[in-house]
Structure formats: structure tokens, C-alpha cells
DNA sequence: GCAAATTGCTACACACGTTAACTATATTGG
DNA sequence: CCAATATAGTTAACGTGTGTAGCAATTTGC
């Protein structure tokens, strides 16, 4: 036991048992599998998520829709789309009936990049699943979904 | 099934089953419990981790040691310590035998802030544990530790 | 001893998460 | 019709993660 863990004046959980911390470290570990693959193609994980979503989408979605499917917030997505657009991996087309909206589509360059990275990415997933075991993997994703659905009830100050 | 999930040209997992995504969303959910508490005192989660670690430490640790215990990176910790120092919540003292090192300690103001927030934080942990059930909670933290210990084996280019 | 390598920490660049403000376009109500 | 409101998206500001580079103090190896 180290010095820092020895005392606990404030009656708090040690860090290793703190759920947010444990989640962050676990995510960090899994990302260590993927980051090298993506970095080799100058992509961040979020950029990759966007490309992957667009590649899988049969039609060009609007920004809002894309944000929901990639779990990105508007401002982040705006930046990511600017970046990907400059690199010619995606394209934007204004909606005909509503000038506020824009349809985002993946370009041929974008598609071939996805096709290049996809198998490498899959291999990393397989590596993780193997090490963890399919049972534990399924167990974990199930628990994570439950946690993701948790909401604080003390939403005071609701107008 | 939505449009984006319908097709999957690249043979990849849908987003909701991607482990890094699931971990991120789960963390996001848990943080929704704590953020209001910390925000009320102008603290970020990382700043709170540092204060909590210092409060629990019997002696003033060096920056390196503190980084390990809070799972923060050096550059991040540097910024956080500057911030907390300006606010008078921590103090730095150069090590006597090695001028590169510095010992970080929590001030009385810092301690009283921790004492104020700690019970509120604990209440949020209890809320999460209750909703999830103690069994699931333990199960989850155990799995997360296993995942956190995963390392990619394909560390090519090892000098 | 003193140059070379190492260590502890900081600075900087780039990207994302979050919140709030802002612009431009559409829609609604009187 | 036109003002008031709502919506889609962007911009701005701040803090953090990651990676790289840098500086100063210390240790090492000859």
C-alpha cells in the first residue's frame, strides 16, 4: 500500500475504485490498441467515427443526425467536418428546401481510406475480445449500457 | 433500426457495441452525477482528483508521484497545479536536495474545500451504486480493471 | 573533474468536451 | 404581411489529453 492510499481523511473511495476513473482508464487502455492504426493515417478517433458513420450511411445525413449517431456534440462535429472537408474526405451540400441545413457525404477518397483502415481496426477489436474472452466482453458491454442509461435524479432547478 | 445502422459496408461493429464508445458513454453518464457538485465550486474533475489526492496524502508528494496517483499526465498536471496554486488551494515547496523537484501540499483553504465537497461526492457514489446494485457495481469495476490492464502486443518498432 | 546522458518539470501545438452566445434561415401568430 | 419565436449550425472561450520539444538540475562514465 502506498503512502497516498494509506490515509483517507475524507471518507472517499480510493481512486482505483472510483467508477469514472476506472472507466477512463479502461477507455485509455482500449484506445492504445486503435490509436496507432489511426495515427498512421492522421486520423483521430472522432474523425474516424465520423468517416465510419458516413461510410455506413446509405444517404447523406444532416449534421444533427450525424452528431447523434457518432455521439459527438455540435461544436466538436463542426470542427471535425471542417477538417475532413479540407482533406477532401467528405463533402457538404446545402439542403434544397432549407438553407440552414446541410447534407454531409463521404467522398471516394474517404471511402477508400475507410476501406484501408477497417480491417486493421477489426483486428484490434479481435485482439481485445480474445484477451478478455467473449463472455467477459459481452458481460462488460451489457453493464456499460446499463451505466450509460443512468441519470441523476436530483435534477433540481428544473424550470 | 436506423438508416445509419442499416448498412455496414466495412464489416465493423456498430457504434453502440464498440468498446471504447461504450466506455466513453458510460463515463459520461457517471460524470453527470458529479459535475454539478464540482461545478458549483468551480472545480473540474481533474482538479478535484488532485485536491483529493493531496488531502489523503500524509506528506507533500512530488509532481511525478502525484501524477501517477491521479492518473494525470505531466503537462496536464502542470496546468492544474498552476491553477490551484493561483487559487490558494495548494502550495509548492522546492525539494531541498534536488532543485528540479517540488513538493506539492494542500493548504488549509484546500482542505476545507475538500471537506465541503466530500460528503456531496460520496452521496453521488451511493446513488450510482444503489441504482446499479452492489453486485453489478463490483462486477463492473473488476472487469474494468482487467480492461485497464490490457496492452497491445504489436508494439513494433521497439528500439 | 567534466562532458554526456538522464531526470523532473514546463512550454507549446493540436484536437476534443462543454457551455454560451451568435448568425442565418424558417416558422408561427396576430 | 411582419414581428416574435424557434431551429440548424457555427463561433468563442476554457480546460483537458496527447505528443513533442525544451530547459535546468542531477547523475553517469570516462
Amino acid at each position: 500500500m502506498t503512502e497516498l492510499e494509506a490515509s483517507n481523511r475524507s471518507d472517499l473511495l480510493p481512486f482505483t475504485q472510483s467508477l469514472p476513473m476506472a472507466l477512463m482508464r479502461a477507455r485509455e487502455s482500449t484506445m492504445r490498441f486503435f490509436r496507432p492504426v489511426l495515427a498512421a493515417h492522421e486520423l483521430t478517433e472522432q474523425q474516424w467515427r465520423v468517416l465510419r458513420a458516413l461510410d455506413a450511411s446509405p444517404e447523406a445525413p444532416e449534421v444533427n443526425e450525424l452528431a447523434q449517431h457518432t455521439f459527438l456534440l455540435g461544436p466538436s462535429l463542426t470542427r471535425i467536418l471542417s477538417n475532413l472537408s479540407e482533406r477532401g474526405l467528405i463533402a457538404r451540400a446545402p439542403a434544397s428546401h432549407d438553407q440552414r441545413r446541410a447534407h454531409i457525404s463521404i467522398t471516394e477518397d474517404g471511402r477508400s481510406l475507410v476501406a484501408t483502415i477497417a480491417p486493421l481496426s477489426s483486428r484490434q477489436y479481435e485482439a481485445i475480445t480474445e484477451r478478455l474472452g467473449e463472455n467477459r466482453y459481452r458481460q462488460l458491454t451489457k453493464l456499460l449500457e446499463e451505466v450509460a442509461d443512468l441519470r441523476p435524479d436530483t435534477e433540481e432547478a428544473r424550470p
Side-chain angles (χ1 to χ4, degrees), chain A:
Chain A
M1 187 181 266
T2 70
E3 283 182 355
L4 279 171
E5 286 163 343
S7 124
N8 210 329
R9 306 169 199 252
S10 308
D11 212 24
L12 292 169
L13 291 171
F15 292 117
T16 44
Q17 291 176 38
S18 147
L19 190 50
M21 271 304 307
L23 289 166
M24 207 175 96
R25 293 199 296 143
R27 179 181 147 80
E28 204 21 58
S29 285
T30 60
M31 281 314 298
R32 263 193 269 278
F33 283 75
F34 297 97
R35 231 189 293 276
V37 175
L38 299 177
H41 298 273
E42 310 264 312
L43 285 176
T44 66
E45 189 223 339
Q46 289 80 1
Q47 292 166 353
W48 171 241
R49 285 217 302 269
V50 170
L51 287 181
R52 204 166 67 147
L54 289 174
D55 185 60
S57 174
E59 296 170 12
E62 294 174 6
V63 176
N64 231 332
E65 194 182 353
L66 189 56
Q68 287 181 344
H69 280 279
T70 53
F71 298 102
L72 292 168
L73 295 179
S76 295
L77 190 49
T78 293
R79 288 184 298 230
I80 292 168
L81 293 180
S82 304
N83 180 314
L84 296 179
S85 182
E86 284 173 15
R87 294 158 71 176
L89 300 172
I90 67 164
R92 338 178 48 129
S96 53
H97 63 296
D98 189 336
Q99 294 299 79
R100 294 170 304 180
R101 295 164 141 86
H103 288 283
I104 311 296
S105 60
I106 187 168
T107 63
E108 278 312 310
D109 279 4
R111 276 201 205 286
S112 66
L113 184 56
V114 171
T116 302
I117 297 176
L120 305 174
S121 170
S122 295
R123 205 170 302 156
Q124 299 308 313
Y125 276 113
E126 287 160 19
I128 293 176
T129 313
E130 267 178 34
R131 306 241 197 129
L132 208 58
E134 290 227 20
N135 272 345
R136 278 206 199 71
Y137 193 98
R138 263 197 295 275
Q139 212 180 354
L140 177 56
T141 52
K142 189 168 180 302
L143 283 168
L144 289 176
E145 271 185 46
E146 289 185 42
V147 173
D149 289 337
L150 292 179
R151 290 292 177 281
D153 58 358
T154 56
E155 298 222 1
E156 304 154 19
R158 186 195 297 283

